Amino acid sequence: MRVSIATALTTALGLAQVSSGIKILMNNDDGFGGGNIRELYRLLKGAGHDVIIVAPAVQQSGQGGRTDFTTSPNLTAPTQYNIIPAGAPSLGTDPNDSNIWYYNGTPAACTFVALDYVLPNFYPDWTGAPDLFLSGPNYGVNLGAFVYSLSGTLGATYAAIARSIPGIALSASNKALSYKDVTNTSNPATWAATVSFKVVEQFIDNTGPSQPILPLGYGVNVNIPPLTSAELPPVVKTRMTGEAEVDYAAYNETSGLFTWENLRPRAAGVNACYNGDCSLPGETYVVGGGGVSVSVFTIDYDAPSVPYTEMVFEKAASLFEGAGGGDGNGTYKAKRHLTARRELFVGRDLKD
Ligand SMILES: *[C@@H]1O[C@H](CO)[C@@H](O)[C@H](O)[C@H]1NC(C)=O
Ligand SMILES: *[C@@H]1O[C@H](CO)[C@@H](O)[C@H](O)[C@H]1NC(C)=O
Ligand SMILES: *[C@@H]1O[C@H](CO)[C@@H](O)[C@H](O)[C@H]1NC(C)=O
Ligand SMILES: *[C@@H]1O[C@H](CO)[C@@H](O)[C@H](O)[C@H]1NC(C)=O
Ligand SMILES: *[C@@H]1O[C@H](CO)[C@@H](O)[C@H](O)[C@H]1NC(C)=O
């Protein structure tokens, strides 16, 4: 790990690096009153960053990337921990902190409400473009490929990455705790937030001025093992896929119901490696061993350009011929700005 002396000193002395303060948008799926997100918010602000939370009004775990906006302009029930009463607007701020917003929608919906309403209307100097998006830390880990369709923590993050904002998803091995119950710095929410902070600060500190924290379309997934202090466990470069768990439908004869169980032995499909470094350990394995996993992903879901991919296209070759030989006849040629890979390292949302 590359840590400058200045960074090490700053961390050791707990000094705020005001000059390197960036604009950070936060979200989660556990709700805007969660101890984990509130503690990370506190630490990031303490380090001199501008931080805004726009997070679900209530617990929204398991929503994946669903974008579900409320159909009621006012809350039909109180928010999490009764912070806001029923009848108040469905979008609003914490009574004690006007930079902490709730919205009564899914995590991905909160990301969009933040980018398209809260920031433009209330934070014009942000120009709608946070330098970094953080989701979590979640209560409970988000490990392996199968949770990526299920995890609201990741769904909120994918939404931001798709909108050209570098995104980091953070998940911890701890349990739901109201921010009101965080009364000292020796509790699992503060520990998870502190470890998250130490990881996130590396990405911020090792990014040059006016450089993006991550390339366009890139995200980072961080998972934290059970903690007994704020000390940083070993941090390991990992793969999202590989050594991951996959569900199967377990039928219970007595109840006549299905539940999910982890498939044993592990499925071959999720262990197939086409992208990234196939020699890296899987995040499930690393977190199980007590390490912090750091996986780098992109939201380019296309298969890499390898012979297998060609073989798959070949099977439907006769169909493609009708449209001009498979590579497009001009009508459907990819637009340059959508295909540029290395050239398009940074960018903003493109408007037609
Ligand atoms: C706001 O702060 C007051 C005074 O510190 C406290 O009594 C109240 O519970 C806080 N409200 C929320 C929603 O945190
Ligand atoms: C919704 O809340 C606003 C502001 O609190 C209030 O003026 C309005 O009457 C409420 N509307 C309904 C349908 O409850
Ligand atoms: C800190 O708070 C936790 C509850 O969140 C409690 O269990 C613990 O005893 C407290 N520790 C100290 C040193 O006060
Ligand atoms: C199956 O269902 C019954 C009845 O609901 C329950 O008591 C039992 O624990 C279940 N078995 C398993 C293995 O989950
Ligand atoms: C290209 O293909 C499209 C779709 O099959 C067709 O509508 C169009 O007429 C073709 N254009 C030319 C110039 O062949």
Side-chain angles (χ1 to χ4, degrees), residues 6-29:
T7 307
L9 270 179
T10 305
T11 309
L13 299 174
L15 296 177
Q17 232 176 351
V18 178
S19 58
S20 71
I22 63 165
K23 296 181 172 65
I24 302 174
L25 175 65
M26 295 185 77
N27 190 354
N28 72 0
D29 72 3

PDB file of all heavy atoms in Angstrom, residues 6-29:
ATOM      1  N   ALA A   6       2.933  12.397   4.440  1.00  0.00           N
ATOM      2  CA  ALA A   6       1.946  13.412   4.816  1.00  0.00           C
ATOM      3  C   ALA A   6       0.617  12.759   5.200  1.00  0.00           C
ATOM      4  O   ALA A   6       0.006  13.108   6.202  1.00  0.00           O
ATOM      5  CB  ALA A   6       1.728  14.390   3.670  1.00  0.00           C
ATOM      6  N   THR A   7       0.218  11.744   4.396  1.00  0.00           N
ATOM      7  CA  THR A   7      -1.040  11.052   4.695  1.00  0.00           C
ATOM      8  C   THR A   7      -0.946  10.336   6.027  1.00  0.00           C
ATOM      9  O   THR A   7      -1.850  10.399   6.861  1.00  0.00           O
ATOM     10  CB  THR A   7      -1.352  10.025   3.583  1.00  0.00           C
ATOM     11  OG1 THR A   7      -1.303  10.692   2.345  1.00  0.00           O
ATOM     12  CG2 THR A   7      -2.707   9.397   3.794  1.00  0.00           C
ATOM     13  N   ALA A   8       0.185   9.639   6.229  1.00  0.00           N
ATOM     14  CA  ALA A   8       0.367   8.888   7.463  1.00  0.00           C
ATOM     15  C   ALA A   8       0.321   9.819   8.670  1.00  0.00           C
ATOM     16  O   ALA A   8      -0.324   9.525   9.675  1.00  0.00           O
ATOM     17  CB  ALA A   8       1.693   8.129   7.419  1.00  0.00           C
ATOM     18  N   LEU A   9       0.983  10.954   8.533  1.00  0.00           N
ATOM     19  CA  LEU A   9       1.006  11.928   9.631  1.00  0.00           C
ATOM     20  C   LEU A   9      -0.396  12.479   9.892  1.00  0.00           C
ATOM     21  O   LEU A   9      -0.830  12.574  11.032  1.00  0.00           O
ATOM     22  CB  LEU A   9       1.934  13.089   9.284  1.00  0.00           C
ATOM     23  CG  LEU A   9       3.395  12.936   9.705  1.00  0.00           C
ATOM     24  CD1 LEU A   9       4.180  14.157   9.273  1.00  0.00           C
ATOM     25  CD2 LEU A   9       3.507  12.719  11.209  1.00  0.00           C
ATOM     26  N   THR A  10      -1.062  12.818   8.796  1.00  0.00           N
ATOM     27  CA  THR A  10      -2.402  13.382   8.914  1.00  0.00           C
ATOM     28  C   THR A  10      -3.307  12.397   9.632  1.00  0.00           C
ATOM     29  O   THR A  10      -4.051  12.753  10.540  1.00  0.00           O
ATOM     30  CB  THR A  10      -2.982  13.689   7.518  1.00  0.00           C
ATOM     31  OG1 THR A  10      -2.058  14.521   6.845  1.00  0.00           O
ATOM     32  CG2 THR A  10      -4.308  14.387   7.618  1.00  0.00           C
ATOM     33  N   THR A  11      -3.195  11.114   9.223  1.00  0.00           N
ATOM     34  CA  THR A  11      -4.031  10.095   9.833  1.00  0.00           C
ATOM     35  C   THR A  11      -3.666   9.931  11.305  1.00  0.00           C
ATOM     36  O   THR A  11      -4.526   9.892  12.174  1.00  0.00           O
ATOM     37  CB  THR A  11      -3.856   8.757   9.082  1.00  0.00           C
ATOM     38  OG1 THR A  11      -4.043   9.014   7.697  1.00  0.00           O
ATOM     39  CG2 THR A  11      -4.873   7.734   9.540  1.00  0.00           C
ATOM     40  N   ALA A  12      -2.357   9.862  11.561  1.00  0.00           N
ATOM     41  CA  ALA A  12      -1.896   9.645  12.929  1.00  0.00           C
ATOM     42  C   ALA A  12      -2.329  10.789  13.842  1.00  0.00           C
ATOM     43  O   ALA A  12      -2.734  10.573  14.982  1.00  0.00           O
ATOM     44  CB  ALA A  12      -0.371   9.506  12.944  1.00  0.00           C
ATOM     45  N   LEU A  13      -2.259  11.996  13.340  1.00  0.00           N
ATOM     46  CA  LEU A  13      -2.579  13.144  14.176  1.00  0.00           C
ATOM     47  C   LEU A  13      -4.061  13.490  14.132  1.00  0.00           C
ATOM     48  O   LEU A  13      -4.520  14.342  14.876  1.00  0.00           O
ATOM     49  CB  LEU A  13      -1.765  14.370  13.731  1.00  0.00           C
ATOM     50  CG  LEU A  13      -0.240  14.213  13.828  1.00  0.00           C
ATOM     51  CD1 LEU A  13       0.454  15.421  13.216  1.00  0.00           C
ATOM     52  CD2 LEU A  13       0.199  14.019  15.265  1.00  0.00           C
ATOM     53  N   GLY A  14      -4.782  12.796  13.239  1.00  0.00           N
ATOM     54  CA  GLY A  14      -6.202  13.071  13.116  1.00  0.00           C
ATOM     55  C   GLY A  14      -6.483  14.462  12.575  1.00  0.00           C
ATOM     56  O   GLY A  14      -7.507  15.069  12.857  1.00  0.00           O
ATOM     57  N   LEU A  15      -5.549  14.972  11.786  1.00  0.00           N
ATOM     58  CA  LEU A  15      -5.722  16.326  11.252  1.00  0.00           C
ATOM     59  C   LEU A  15      -6.600  16.303  10.017  1.00  0.00           C
ATOM     60  O   LEU A  15      -6.608  15.353   9.245  1.00  0.00           O
ATOM     61  CB  LEU A  15      -4.354  16.915  10.866  1.00  0.00           C
ATOM     62  CG  LEU A  15      -3.377  17.124  12.015  1.00  0.00           C
ATOM     63  CD1 LEU A  15      -2.056  17.627  11.468  1.00  0.00           C
ATOM     64  CD2 LEU A  15      -3.935  18.104  13.033  1.00  0.00           C
ATOM     65  N   ALA A  16      -7.334  17.352   9.830  1.00  0.00           N
ATOM     66  CA  ALA A  16      -8.158  17.464   8.632  1.00  0.00           C
ATOM     67  C   ALA A  16      -7.302  17.957   7.479  1.00  0.00           C
ATOM     68  O   ALA A  16      -6.526  18.887   7.625  1.00  0.00           O
ATOM     69  CB  ALA A  16      -9.295  18.440   8.885  1.00  0.00           C
ATOM     70  N   GLN A  17      -7.442  17.277   6.333  1.00  0.00           N
ATOM     71  CA  GLN A  17      -6.702  17.690   5.140  1.00  0.00           C
ATOM     72  C   GLN A  17      -7.620  18.597   4.336  1.00  0.00           C
ATOM     73  O   GLN A  17      -8.156  18.208   3.304  1.00  0.00           O
ATOM     74  CB  GLN A  17      -6.343  16.456   4.319  1.00  0.00           C
ATOM     75  CG  GLN A  17      -4.872  16.397   3.974  1.00  0.00           C
ATOM     76  CD  GLN A  17      -4.555  15.114   3.244  1.00  0.00           C
ATOM     77  OE1 GLN A  17      -5.369  14.212   3.143  1.00  0.00           O
ATOM     78  NE2 GLN A  17      -3.358  15.034   2.728  1.00  0.00           N
ATOM     79  N   VAL A  18      -7.803  19.806   4.816  1.00  0.00           N
ATOM     80  CA  VAL A  18      -8.829  20.680   4.261  1.00  0.00           C
ATOM     81  C   VAL A  18      -8.602  20.928   2.780  1.00  0.00           C
ATOM     82  O   VAL A  18      -9.524  20.929   1.990  1.00  0.00           O
ATOM     83  CB  VAL A  18      -8.888  22.018   5.031  1.00  0.00           C
ATOM     84  CG1 VAL A  18      -9.916  22.954   4.420  1.00  0.00           C
ATOM     85  CG2 VAL A  18      -9.212  21.756   6.490  1.00  0.00           C
ATOM     86  N   SER A  19      -7.319  21.056   2.401  1.00  0.00           N
ATOM     87  CA  SER A  19      -7.016  21.396   1.017  1.00  0.00           C
ATOM     88  C   SER A  19      -7.495  20.319   0.054  1.00  0.00           C
ATOM     89  O   SER A  19      -7.797  20.605  -1.090  1.00  0.00           O
ATOM     90  CB  SER A  19      -5.511  21.603   0.852  1.00  0.00           C
ATOM     91  OG  SER A  19      -4.839  20.424   1.236  1.00  0.00           O
ATOM     92  N   SER A  20      -7.575  19.059   0.534  1.00  0.00           N
ATOM     93  CA  SER A  20      -7.967  17.987  -0.371  1.00  0.00           C
ATOM     94  C   SER A  20      -9.434  17.623  -0.207  1.00  0.00           C
ATOM     95  O   SER A  20      -9.851  16.555  -0.621  1.00  0.00           O
ATOM     96  CB  SER A  20      -7.098  16.755  -0.127  1.00  0.00           C
ATOM     97  OG  SER A  20      -7.435  16.177   1.111  1.00  0.00           O
ATOM     98  N   GLY A  21     -10.201  18.501   0.428  1.00  0.00           N
ATOM     99  CA  GLY A  21     -11.624  18.205   0.614  1.00  0.00           C
ATOM    100  C   GLY A  21     -12.330  18.026  -0.712  1.00  0.00           C
ATOM    101  O   GLY A  21     -12.149  18.813  -1.634  1.00  0.00           O
ATOM    102  N   ILE A  22     -13.115  16.965  -0.840  1.00  0.00           N
ATOM    103  CA  ILE A  22     -13.854  16.707  -2.077  1.00  0.00           C
ATOM    104  C   ILE A  22     -15.348  16.645  -1.762  1.00  0.00           C
ATOM    105  O   ILE A  22     -15.750  16.647  -0.594  1.00  0.00           O
ATOM    106  CB  ILE A  22     -13.386  15.404  -2.762  1.00  0.00           C
ATOM    107  CG1 ILE A  22     -13.670  14.193  -1.876  1.00  0.00           C
ATOM    108  CG2 ILE A  22     -11.910  15.487  -3.125  1.00  0.00           C
ATOM    109  CD1 ILE A  22     -13.569  12.874  -2.612  1.00  0.00           C
ATOM    110  N   LYS A  23     -16.153  16.551  -2.834  1.00  0.00           N
ATOM    111  CA  LYS A  23     -17.611  16.488  -2.692  1.00  0.00           C
ATOM    112  C   LYS A  23     -18.060  15.033  -2.747  1.00  0.00           C
ATOM    113  O   LYS A  23     -17.863  14.359  -3.760  1.00  0.00           O
ATOM    114  CB  LYS A  23     -18.270  17.281  -3.821  1.00  0.00           C
ATOM    115  CG  LYS A  23     -17.952  18.764  -3.784  1.00  0.00           C
ATOM    116  CD  LYS A  23     -18.661  19.483  -4.921  1.00  0.00           C
ATOM    117  CE  LYS A  23     -18.513  20.984  -4.802  1.00  0.00           C
ATOM    118  NZ  LYS A  23     -17.109  21.439  -4.943  1.00  0.00           N
ATOM    119  N   ILE A  24     -18.637  14.580  -1.651  1.00  0.00           N
ATOM    120  CA  ILE A  24     -19.015  13.163  -1.546  1.00  0.00           C
ATOM    121  C   ILE A  24     -20.522  13.044  -1.333  1.00  0.00           C
ATOM    122  O   ILE A  24     -21.076  13.642  -0.408  1.00  0.00           O
ATOM    123  CB  ILE A  24     -18.268  12.475  -0.370  1.00  0.00           C
ATOM    124  CG1 ILE A  24     -16.752  12.591  -0.559  1.00  0.00           C
ATOM    125  CG2 ILE A  24     -18.698  11.016  -0.259  1.00  0.00           C
ATOM    126  CD1 ILE A  24     -15.944  12.059   0.619  1.00  0.00           C
ATOM    127  N   LEU A  25     -21.171  12.261  -2.194  1.00  0.00           N
ATOM    128  CA  LEU A  25     -22.586  11.926  -2.032  1.00  0.00           C
ATOM    129  C   LEU A  25     -22.673  10.534  -1.412  1.00  0.00           C
ATOM    130  O   LEU A  25     -22.033   9.598  -1.897  1.00  0.00           O
ATOM    131  CB  LEU A  25     -23.298  11.935  -3.389  1.00  0.00           C
ATOM    132  CG  LEU A  25     -24.758  11.477  -3.392  1.00  0.00           C
ATOM    133  CD1 LEU A  25     -25.648  12.427  -2.589  1.00  0.00           C
ATOM    134  CD2 LEU A  25     -25.275  11.361  -4.830  1.00  0.00           C
ATOM    135  N   MET A  26     -23.450  10.438  -0.341  1.00  0.00           N
ATOM    136  CA  MET A  26     -23.598   9.134   0.336  1.00  0.00           C
ATOM    137  C   MET A  26     -25.039   8.632   0.242  1.00  0.00           C
ATOM    138  O   MET A  26     -25.983   9.410   0.168  1.00  0.00           O
ATOM    139  CB  MET A  26     -23.214   9.253   1.818  1.00  0.00           C
ATOM    140  CG  MET A  26     -21.776   9.588   2.060  1.00  0.00           C
ATOM    141  SD  MET A  26     -21.400   9.565   3.843  1.00  0.00           S
ATOM    142  CE  MET A  26     -21.304   7.788   4.136  1.00  0.00           C
ATOM    143  N   ASN A  27     -25.171   7.316   0.338  1.00  0.00           N
ATOM    144  CA  ASN A  27     -26.465   6.648   0.274  1.00  0.00           C
ATOM    145  C   ASN A  27     -26.264   5.288   0.937  1.00  0.00           C
ATOM    146  O   ASN A  27     -25.121   4.916   1.270  1.00  0.00           O
ATOM    147  CB  ASN A  27     -26.878   6.526  -1.210  1.00  0.00           C
ATOM    148  CG  ASN A  27     -28.313   6.069  -1.439  1.00  0.00           C
ATOM    149  OD1 ASN A  27     -29.036   5.716  -0.499  1.00  0.00           O
ATOM    150  ND2 ASN A  27     -28.722   6.081  -2.688  1.00  0.00           N
ATOM    151  N   ASN A  28     -27.348   4.567   1.141  1.00  0.00           N
ATOM    152  CA  ASN A  28     -27.253   3.194   1.648  1.00  0.00           C
ATOM    153  C   ASN A  28     -28.562   2.488   1.363  1.00  0.00           C
ATOM    154  O   ASN A  28     -29.413   3.039   0.662  1.00  0.00           O
ATOM    155  CB  ASN A  28     -26.904   3.193   3.143  1.00  0.00           C
ATOM    156  CG  ASN A  28     -28.060   3.651   4.034  1.00  0.00           C
ATOM    157  OD1 ASN A  28     -29.147   3.982   3.553  1.00  0.00           O
ATOM    158  ND2 ASN A  28     -27.839   3.674   5.328  1.00  0.00           N
ATOM    159  N   ASP A  29     -28.723   1.282   1.891  1.00  0.00           N
ATOM    160  CA  ASP A  29     -30.045   0.656   1.774  1.00  0.00           C
ATOM    161  C   ASP A  29     -30.653   0.388   3.143  1.00  0.00           C
ATOM    162  O   ASP A  29     -31.751  -0.123   3.241  1.00  0.00           O
ATOM    163  CB  ASP A  29     -30.010  -0.602   0.895  1.00  0.00           C
ATOM    164  CG  ASP A  29     -29.312  -1.788   1.543  1.00  0.00           C
ATOM    165  OD1 ASP A  29     -28.895  -1.688   2.714  1.00  0.00           O
ATOM    166  OD2 ASP A  29     -29.192  -2.834   0.874  1.00  0.00           O
TER     167      ASP A  29
END
